[in-house]
Amino acid sequence: ITAYKVSENTPPVGWTLTSATCSDGSPVNAIVLDPGETVTCTFTNTKVVVDVKPGTIIVRKVAVPNGPQVFEFGGSWGQFFLDDDGINNNPLSNTKTFPNLTPGPYTVKENVPSGWVLSIVCNDPTGGTTVADYYANIDLASGETVTCTFTNRKTDVPPPPPATYIYSVKIV
């Protein structure tokens, strides 16, 4: 008596083999055929459900010095504006939050106005963010919050001088 064996190649990524049955009740690795018998074996695969959680991207604006300058941004969400004028109750904020995002790639770009230089620092727990020139390229992971701070320094404003201390001493 000859036993036959059938198998399935490894299922594609995102799928898992959940059952393999033959119509005569034989296991798929030991099928014995009677003369004239036809046996059908069925392999069932199930899509793997991954627990994907939404993420958040926060864009912060810091301007040195604070002032009425409006900064234009673009990227994955289109155009938006931020300022850092030190006034909290005006229509523009120094922070824009993008909540409930599907994990994946996102881009934030600042159109730097004349007379300003830009530096970008991003806090990304999984390290999936790169910055270059005026861009932050963010690879948002499941459940992650990434904060990118775009800091502009006005080019005609020198850095603050070092602290100076004046002491007055009276000798009696």
Side-chain angles (χ1 to χ4, degrees):
I1 297 178
T2 302
Y4 297 92
K5 176 181 176 180
V6 294
S7 63
E8 175 184 62
N9 291 333
T10 303
V13 173
W15 292 85
T16 187
L17 178 64
T18 51
S19 70
T21 59
C22 295
S23 59
D24 71 346
S26 299
V28 294
N29 62 352
I31 305 164
V32 178
L33 295 174
D34 291 330
E37 181 183 21
T38 300
V39 175
T40 302
C41 296
T42 303
F43 293 82
T44 302
N45 293 297
T46 304
K47 186 153 182 65
V48 176
V49 177
V50 178
D51 184 23
V52 176
K53 296 176 183 159
T56 300
I57 295 175
I58 300 169
V59 180
R60 290 186 56 233
K61 165 51 57 203
V62 174
V64 179
N66 289 353
Q69 176 69 50
V70 174
F71 296 90
E72 178 186 359
F73 288 81
S76 299
W77 306 278
Q79 185 181 49
F80 64 96
F81 299 92
L82 297 174
D83 75 6
D84 185 24
D85 60 8
I87 301 170
N88 295 326
N89 60 355
N90 67 4
L92 289 178
S93 173
N94 70 334
T95 304
K96 179 82 171 170
T97 300
F98 299 94
N100 299 314
L101 298 173
T102 301
Y106 294 90
T107 299
V108 182
K109 176 187 184 282
E110 181 180 323
N111 296 320
V112 180
S114 178
W116 294 83
V117 292
L118 172 66
S119 64
I120 306 168
V121 175
C122 293
N123 178 9
D124 182 338
T126 61
T129 297
T130 57
V131 296
D133 298 325
Y134 308 113
Y135 289 87
N137 295 305
I138 303 162
D139 187 9
L140 188 66
S142 176
E144 180 176 52
T145 296
V146 174
T147 301
C148 290
T149 301
F150 287 70
T151 301
N152 294 82
R153 178 177 289 281
K154 197 155 180 63
T155 56
D156 62 351
V157 174
T164 304
Y165 300 98
I166 300 173
Y167 296 95
S168 202
V169 178
K170 183 177 181 182
I171 301 176
V172 182

